[in-house]
Amino acid sequence: GCGIGANIFYYSKKHPNAKFVGIDYLKKRIKYAKNLNKNPNVDFFVDDILKNKKIVKKNINIVTCVHTLCCFKKIDIPLRYMFKYKPDWIAINSLFYQGPLDVLIHIRDHNSDIKDNNVNSDFNIFSLSNLKRILKKTNYRIHKFQPFFPHKKIAKPSKGKRGSFTIKTEFNNKTTFSGPVHLPWYFVLLKKKK
């Protein structure tokens, strides 16, 4: 779910000697990413995780998954896709809850023409305990996980606009929300077992 490649563009500039691969299911995003990112150490491919193919024929050491998992109804489908590459590490930034519950949230914005089947309107929160259960059947374990709160306050969008913002709560001075929805962002680092 690299989208137009913003994260890859950042990583590739920071680490010019490493090779990077971006994968997204939308051809127009990949086309835009290729036009935007001319770094020689970056390749982009179109693939659909739901079809669960493995099209990239490269050795992958690290998989990063930023804001992608929350667009899926089930966490095991994208994880299986990532496991196929057999990376040493999988770094995930997504919405998680420490209890045994997944919460499926779909936003219907009455001020836009976004259709209900658009996965970009999903903000699904996954159970960390279920993730641990899934990992027991794999060659991966959770190396580290921690909640993520922005360093700076994010202002609430103007009335009627979508977007994330922060407010002070019992969790943190900068707890993230989008409209009425609390977004419990976590960083989760998975490590391949030796």
Side-chain angles (χ1 to χ4, degrees), residues 67-72 94-95 119 122-126 185:
H67 298 186
T68 302
L69 287 185
C70 59
C71 296
F72 288 88
S94 195
L95 302 170
V119 297
D122 286 349
F123 281 95
N124 298 320
I125 302 168
F126 293 107
W185 290 110

Side-chain angles (χ1 to χ4, degrees), residues 90-157:
I90 299 174
I92 298 169
N93 173 232
S94 195
L95 302 170
F96 285 99
Y97 172 65
Q98 290 201 32
L101 302 173
D102 289 341
V103 179
L104 304 182
I105 302 167
H106 183 80
I107 294 175
R108 182 177 294 139
D109 186 343
H110 296 287
N111 291 331
S112 79
D113 60 353
I114 297 175
K115 306 278 189 264
D116 270 352
N117 63 352
N118 188 323
V119 297
N120 294 320
S121 292
D122 286 349
F123 281 95
N124 298 320
I125 302 168
F126 293 107
S127 163
L128 275 169
S129 57
N130 185 50
L131 173 61
K132 290 175 186 175
R133 183 188 60 77
I134 291 168
L135 293 175
K136 284 182 181 177
K137 300 173 188 171
T138 73
N139 200 26
Y140 290 88
R141 64 176 178 81
I142 294 178
H143 178 72
K144 186 174 185 177
F145 70 92
Q146 68 184 48
F148 167 76
F149 299 97
H151 294 291
K152 296 180 181 179
K153 182 178 177 178
I154 303 170
K156 196 170 189 175

Side-chain angles (χ1 to χ4, degrees), residues 51-100:
K51 295 190 171 119
N52 219 5
K53 295 179 182 175
K54 180 184 172 186
I55 61 149
V56 178
K57 307 288 189 216
K58 297 177 185 274
N59 290 331
I60 304 290
N61 300 97
I62 301 169
V63 169
T64 61
C65 185
V66 180
H67 298 186
T68 302
L69 287 185
C70 59
C71 296
F72 288 88
K73 302 279 190 251
K74 294 179 75 178
I75 194 172
D76 55 332
I77 294 168
L79 286 173
R80 274 197 309 263
Y81 184 88
M82 291 182 250
F83 295 154
K84 281 187 173 186
Y85 289 101
K86 300 178 182 170
D88 295 325
W89 299 91
I90 299 174
I92 298 169
N93 173 232
S94 195
L95 302 170
F96 285 99
Y97 172 65
Q98 290 201 32

Side-chain angles (χ1 to χ4, degrees), residues 11-26:
Y11 298 147
S12 66
K13 294 223 17 116
K14 288 278 189 189
H15 304 282
N17 294 327
K19 299 285 185 191
F20 295 87
V21 175
I23 300 171
D24 199 276
Y25 76 107
L26 288 175

